[in-house]
Amino acid sequence: MLLEARMLDPDVEPAEKAVIGWLLSLIYASLRGDDLIHVAPDFLELLDAALVGVAWQTKVDRKMKGAKFAIIRASTSKNDWVPIWFSIIKSTLKEGETRDYLFECPQHDFKGFAAGVPFDMDAAHKLVPIVLKNAGASEEETKSKCVHRSKRTLINAGVHFGEGEKPLTLQGHWSGPMIGTYAIRLLEIPLKMIGRIVKGIQSGWRPP
């Protein structure tokens, strides 16, 4: 919730918000960090219900077929941080520019971005602890909330919330005999699940 609130704080630098939004997106879309850096900003589309995009390379798909994902425009803090993050990502693109990475690497003081240097996993492991600390996380929380654990956050919550196999499988971007090629209509299934979990958390429910 503190990270979501910082997305709306005008005193937080856009470069820091770029990292915060990236981390929140890992949680809400159940993506691996390496998947979300392989996203071309041109293929991000902001809809009323979600931000949708395509990771052109993932850990389980190295053939560059592209894995579609959706980040719901609902949050445990009730703050709609998604369009703010989308706007920041788009603002880093120069007119007519295209690129195959999400955004340039923020400077360590978050006063700007390093021109032409892609944000990668090495940078993520250095900068994520800083944004967590700036949001008020303890040293222990900063160490425990690593990037690799973000993907499982809402999947674990969904299991304890009593969600079924199909939405959990789709949310986790896992293939199976019951699931064909990703399509936008299939993304609606995990989005509805996340919406239910978010409402539960807003009402006071917490996973064990």
Side-chain angles (χ1 to χ4, degrees):
M1 292 185 183
L2 291 173
L3 288 174
E4 295 166 2
R6 284 184 67 77
M7 289 296 294
L8 277 71
D9 187 340
D11 294 328
V12 177
E13 296 286 350
E16 182 172 357
K17 289 182 179 180
V19 179
I20 295 171
W22 179 81
L23 182 59
L24 287 170
S25 297
L26 298 185
I27 295 170
Y28 279 102
S30 297
L31 291 167
R32 296 180 180 87
D34 191 63
D35 297 346
L36 193 54
I37 62 175
H38 292 108
V39 173
D42 315 56
F43 290 95
L44 290 174
E45 183 179 3
L46 186 64
L47 307 176
D48 290 338
L51 175 66
V52 297
V54 180
W56 56 264
Q57 178 178 291
T58 69
K59 181 179 179 180
V60 296
D61 174 20
R62 295 293 178 180
K63 297 180 180 179
M64 300 185 184
K65 295 178 181 178
K68 296 181 178 67
F69 63 86
I71 303 162
I72 194 169
R73 291 184 62 178
S75 69
T76 56
S77 65
K78 300 183 181 180
N79 292 317
D80 190 5
W81 58 270
V82 174
I84 297 171
W85 186 62
F86 173 74
S87 178
I88 290 171
I89 299 302
K90 287 294 190 180
S91 72
T92 63
L93 279 172
K94 300 178 180 65
E95 187 176 356
E97 179 189 7
T98 59
R99 63 180 185 232
D100 61 2
Y101 57 91
L102 191 58
F103 56 90
E104 293 173 323
C105 186
Q107 298 169 359
H108 282 182
D109 59 2
F110 296 115
K111 296 298 183 183
F113 296 88
V117 180
F119 177 71
D120 59 17
M121 291 307 298
D122 287 339
H125 290 305
K126 293 175 183 177
L127 296 176
V128 165
I130 297 174
V131 302
L132 288 172
K133 183 179 179 181
N134 290 347
S138 66
E139 185 175 350
E140 183 179 348
E141 289 174 327
T142 300
K143 290 180 179 178
S144 65
K145 293 180 180 178
C146 67
V147 171
H148 295 303
R149 295 183 182 178
S150 299
K151 176 182 173 69
R152 73 182 73 164
T153 302
L154 285 179
I155 296 173
N156 177 65
V159 171
H160 291 289
F161 203 67
E163 295 292 340
E165 179 184 359
K166 186 168 186 177
L168 288 169
T169 302
L170 285 166
Q171 176 68 15
H173 310 281
W174 298 306
S175 60
M178 66 179 183
I179 298 169
T181 304
Y182 251 97
I184 291 297
R185 66 178 183 83
L186 285 180
L187 293 178
E188 293 175 1
I189 297 172
L191 276 178
K192 289 178 180 177
M193 178 189 73
I194 297 303
R196 291 190 292 270
I197 296 171
V198 166
K199 286 182 179 179
I201 293 173
Q202 290 173 352
S203 300
W205 177 83
R206 294 292 184 273

